Amino acid sequence: MLAGAAISRDLVLVGGGHSHALVLRMLAMRPVAGLRITLVSPSSHTPYSGMLPGLVAGHYTFEQTHIDLARLCQWAGVRFIAGEVTALDPVARRLSLAGRPDVGYDLASIDIGSQPELDSVPGAREHAVPVKPVAGLWQRWQHLLQRLGALPPGTRQRIAVVGGGAGSVELALAMAHRLARQPVDLELWCGAPAILQGYNTGARRGVMAALARHGVAVALDARVERVEAGRLQLADGRQAPFDELFWCTGAAAAPWVAASGLPVDERGFLEVTDALHSVADERVFGAGDIATQVNHPRPKAGVYAVRQGPVLAHNLGAALLGKTLRQHRPQQRFLSLVSLGDRLASADRGPFSATGRWVWRWKDSIDRKFMARFEQLPASMPRGHWGSLPELAAASPQKPCGGCGAKVGADPLARALAELAREFPRHCSPPGGAGDTAPIPGSGAAAIVQSLDMLRQLVADPWLMGRIAANHALSDLYASGARPLSALAAITLPFAGADILQRELKQLLAGALHEFAGADCLLAGGHSMQGPELNVGFVVNGTAIAGDGRLLGKRGLAVGDQLVLAKPLGTGVLFAAHMQLAADGRDIAAAIDSMLVSNRLAAESALAHNASACTDVTGFGLLGHLLEMLGEDGAATLRLAQLPVLDGALAHLRSGIRSTMHGSNAAAGARLGFDGAVDDDLLQVLFDPQTSGGLLIGVAAARAPGLLDALRGSAYPRAQIIGEVVARDPASPGSVRVA
Ligand SMILES: Cc1cc2nc3c(=O)[nH]c(=O)nc-3n(C[C@H](O)[C@H](O)[C@H](O)COP(=O)(O)OP(=O)(O)OC[C@H]3O[C@@H](n4cnc5c(N)ncnc54)[C@H](O)[C@@H]3O)c2cc1C
């Protein structure tokens, strides 16, 4: 991911196999702006198959034979999730993970390899050690080594390997080399008439000689029919005892791939085109063992996964950037290098074969070179990038706004909470239930309410920023009719030296305390950390202002109630204009003054006039917060001309300037109805996100003039009655009618 670019799409790589390791490297060197890449892998290290036998034989260390995916991701700027995918829903574009929430994707790519086929032979799953996952094999191998070391003298162990392909032969030879001086008998059980099907006779002869030299007994035409504890039952009636059984037969696919509904071949492997995406879904790619190229099926081998890597990297980027995808044509034949336990190897390609130490050195240098690509990561990353996602290129170059303009829209939050409330019904408030202020459960009759609010940097002056953030956080309490008791700070400071940090914190907290002192609120402590940019937040709690414990709530509006707004609107667009150097400094100063006006007196007036409902207008704009008060069934009329608006705000809206949140707030415009023509620019004020905005109060019509006078006479000279609550007209689509 390019630093600083907004994320607009998610690419999720499932499995850190050979192809994906290359994809990570290549997309890091040639990034796509706006793309977030996530890798899901059960563990931080993935084995490189070519060196696996060398690990067992003792020629290599664990580190030399494994790619450190966590480190690779850290270098590549990719999110690493240690987890195992258990299901894919291509319609919802979601991946299920064992023991943690689902992960959504725009583009997914699967490179999870294969595992030995265990289920066609009864008892194999219970009694055999599959060679994959390699982590399990490695652990079991270590235990075996320990056990052998502690064997009573005179006892021998029988180790059986079931297979016959290159993997099983290499494994048996590697074990034989490692256990050369141990009291073990090694046997290779091969169901076919010969080992290494598909290899030429020369290579096969070289490998058979190595097996004989290492004392590995090879049984051919020996099909295992059943496995029992400590015993193989063969199809020809023979029985063979074992102390340890390793299973290295034909590859099988993870069942969730077929369960996704995407087309799979007869063994359950994902069918992909030559562009490496599913034959039925261009948003799901696949490579390595788990994928079968329908036009060019090949045996399952790491070499194919490696060759697919660069094409996959190109096609994932190209698919997102709308560029042409490459077609991959895998080789018909490839050079196969089989290690023979000791530092010998055998080469096979078509009719050519060779065995010797030089083949081992050749294989060793190829393998080390491959691994070096993931160990020696370039220190400097490219400055440029491959391209920008189309939606990012189309978006305005405007930097994201600070203050409440940077708030996450209501929709993503509501959707996230709705999904989580289903999973945690007793511990997560569903949307509508979760407010930004909530009573603390069990706090008794004199309920303690608590709230949390935070702001990105809005003004450069830290003292002022502290004041605005504190005032903004306290507004939530006032809107619920509570007076503050105490606050905790949560502050992220931009990276800096210790002295600078301390100076900055002092300024911020002095500003906050200026407000807290005015509100008689204790700043009890807090937490600060460093990060890429300034964020200032406060957890605040308080108790009812009213002596009778009455609180104010967002719900409770009645038909006929007047809607009173205490402070003018327009802070969002003014600060957006300020960032674009389009705002007049005097207008910004007036907006800051407005943000610094406490909502305390407004709350006291609202309570004194028996307000039916109240909220503070912040990130979701006037319309978003009004709709929240009205709920699904309520309706209101608004008089646009009555809206109090800060100087300069309307002019900036007319010139097309918008705060970051404006767009998502404007989606609420679908619930507007119109009584006659309206000024579209003035209408935009309804969507403008506010920082430390005024209270919106619903009050019975008879008490509205008194409330308005009280507000204007205290700290809110621009307070206005801006509309009223009406009965919902079922024939009218809008919840809020605008005139
Ligand atoms: C002993 C042995 C030796 C071999 N030697 C060779 C050789 O010399 N040359 C050769 O070409 N082939 C060799 N092979 C075959 C080779 O191992 C495979 O063909 C190759 O590993 C396939 O690579 P891949 O990219 O498909 O997946 P893999 O390399 O198997 O990687 C898959 C990754 O996905 C992860 N994963 C699995 N399931 C999930 C999940 N549900 N969610 C998230 N992540 C998951 C795994 O942990 C792993 O990290 C050998 C095999 C064995 C057993």
Side-chain angles (χ1 to χ4, degrees), residues 335 337 347 357-367:
L335 171 72
L337 298 167
R357 296 208 174 276
W358 67 271
V359 185
W360 159 268
R361 284 197 294 275
W362 183 24
K363 175 173 165 43
D364 179 59
S365 93
I366 293 172
D367 290 342

Side-chain angles (χ1 to χ4, degrees), residues 14-20 40-43 45-47 49-53 69 83-86 111-115 131-134 137 166-168 170-171 248 254 256 287-290 300-306 334 336-338 363:
V14 183
H18 297 61
S19 314
H20 278 173
V40 183
S41 167
S43 72
H45 285 69
T46 195
S49 55
M51 293 172 95
L52 201 56
L69 294 170
E84 191 177 339
V85 168
T86 55
D111 177 23
I112 56 167
S114 59
Q115 297 198 355
V131 286
K132 290 208 173 174
V134 171
L137 166 75
S168 58
E170 284 192 299
L171 192 66
C248 195
W256 61 262
D289 282 7
I290 194 61
K300 304 297 178 191
V303 63
Y304 292 114
V306 169
F334 67 92
S336 176
L337 298 167
V338 180
K363 175 173 165 43

